[in-house]
Amino acid sequence: MMMKLTRPLVLTLGFVGMGSTFVPLPSPHNRQAMMKTAISLQYDSTGGAMLPGVDEKTDMNQYNLDYESSVEEWTANVLPKTLLQEEGIYLGVKDKKNLFVDTLTFVVSRNGGLGLELLEIAGGREDGVGITIVSGLVAGGNSIDSGILPGDSIVSIQVEGKDNDTTASTECLGYDLTIDSILSLPPDGEKVIIKVKRVRRKPKVDVVLQYPPDSGEEDQYLELFAGENLRRAMLVRGVRLNDALALRFDSGGTGDCGSEGTCATCVVGIMQGGHLMNPMGIQEEQILVNNPRWRMACKTLVGYGAREGKMIIRVNPRQWNDR
């Protein structure tokens, strides 16, 4: 469910001279409290955790949306409880097909002001629900080189204390509740861990499918998202994979192995863009040892490591004379 929120507002957050008294705030997310203790956030200034192969060397910032586009895309969604999250209101994007919400964490010194300008792009509700984003960074503030960018939305701030850590949750809150939550943090602690969400576009891979000359079929052009399984993506788009001339590598029988990576009937020839795939597993490497250009589509992920580019793939490579 998408919530309609309105009312823009720009103010500056200095993070200086905060009081030490914590007053629990009512939660519009049906959570028991917005403050939690003894919670440790994992540092991740790269993001892209949902994309296979992404590590600290990956430049995920190349997929950031510009500030104006981010403002237009942010939305709030009411989501039910799942195994991965509690029921509540969470940030989302309007264009779910081409964009995604990434999560990053940054460590900022508490010696001085954070220097964050906040903008409430949606709000005005009695329950305090809204969307507040970073609209700018103040020169000289501790956030200027932190990695936080205009367009990000702060979802939590954690203060590392000597005895425990204290966290304020601010996801999908209007400006007033965001400020109240932050100001309720204890004054001690040298470091602040800021968790933000950021709008990014999904990396894409352009794929040219070539069919055997005798098939009479023309090349087919596909646009796949990074991290997609090649076999699944091709089948969804109506591409026939199982080679009629293929002999099962395993114990035999008819049909395929159901993506177990044992029959080798879904192999494809990679003519260009091999660097855009995930590394071979030991079993796949052993099965295809005599065909270095071949990959099992069921075990292949395109755009591995959030890489973009072009791939040329031959369907049913056994039917090509130059194999």
Side-chain angles (χ1 to χ4, degrees), residues 97-111:
K97 178 181 179 181
N98 297 295
L99 306 176
F100 72 102
V101 176
D102 210 351
T103 303
L104 305 94
T105 54
F106 301 98
V107 180
V108 180
S109 171
R110 203 176 185 187
N111 183 22

Side-chain angles (χ1 to χ4, degrees), residues 18-266:
M18 296 190 302
S20 59
T21 302
F22 162 58
V23 180
L25 298 172
S27 172
H29 299 238
N30 293 326
R31 298 172 183 168
Q32 294 181 348
M34 291 165 49
M35 302 283 290
K36 297 181 180 179
T37 59
I39 296 176
S40 179
L41 293 177
Q42 182 179 4
Y43 303 164
D44 181 6
S45 59
T46 300
M50 73 293 296
L51 297 175
V54 170
D55 57 28
E56 66 277 0
K57 298 180 181 179
T58 306
D59 179 19
M60 289 299 297
N61 282 332
Q62 63 183 307
Y63 305 121
N64 294 345
L65 257 63
D66 59 66
Y67 175 76
E68 290 76 12
S69 298
S70 295
V71 171
E72 292 298 322
E73 283 294 334
W74 279 123
T75 188
N77 299 311
V78 179
L79 300 179
K81 181 178 180 179
T82 67
L83 295 176
L84 300 178
Q85 67 183 18
E86 295 295 326
E87 176 185 1
I89 305 173
Y90 295 91
L91 289 167
V93 288
K94 298 174 183 176
D95 184 3
K96 296 180 181 179
K97 178 181 179 181
N98 297 295
L99 306 176
F100 72 102
V101 176
D102 210 351
T103 303
L104 305 94
T105 54
F106 301 98
V107 180
V108 180
S109 171
R110 203 176 185 187
N111 183 22
L114 281 182
L116 292 174
E117 295 178 352
L118 299 182
L119 167 67
E120 184 184 83
I121 61 173
R125 294 165 52 105
E126 293 183 358
D127 57 7
V129 173
I131 301 176
T132 302
I133 67 170
V134 176
S135 59
L137 305 177
V138 178
N142 290 330
S143 297
I144 195 68
D145 295 319
S146 65
I148 299 173
L149 298 176
D152 292 348
S153 183
I154 300 174
V155 296
S156 68
I157 296 183
Q158 174 178 295
V159 175
E160 290 191 344
K162 294 181 179 180
D163 299 326
N164 55 43
D165 302 334
T166 306
T167 302
S169 176
T170 58
E171 183 166 4
C172 289
L173 296 183
Y175 181 88
D176 293 339
L177 276 186
T178 297
I179 295 299
D180 288 345
S181 180
I182 294 173
L183 293 180
S184 296
L185 287 164
D188 60 337
E190 297 181 354
K191 288 193 302 184
V192 177
I193 304 173
I194 301 179
K195 184 177 182 179
V196 306
K197 289 191 174 180
R198 180 176 297 172
V199 181
R200 284 173 164 164
R201 67 175 180 85
K202 297 179 181 178
K204 297 178 181 179
V205 176
D206 295 320
V207 177
V208 180
L209 295 180
Q210 297 179 337
Y211 292 88
D214 295 339
S215 69
E217 297 190 48
E218 297 182 353
D219 293 350
Q220 189 171 352
Y221 299 86
L222 304 178
E223 185 179 70
L224 305 185
F225 291 110
E228 280 198 76
N229 176 273
L230 183 58
R231 178 181 184 270
R232 188 178 304 113
M234 294 170 70
L235 290 176
V236 167
R237 293 163 176 81
V239 179
R240 299 188 301 276
L241 276 178
N242 291 84
D243 191 344
L245 301 182
L247 296 176
R248 287 180 62 115
F249 181 87
D250 54 8
S251 58
T254 59
D256 60 67
C257 65
S259 298
E260 293 294 330
T262 59
C263 71
T265 61
C266 68

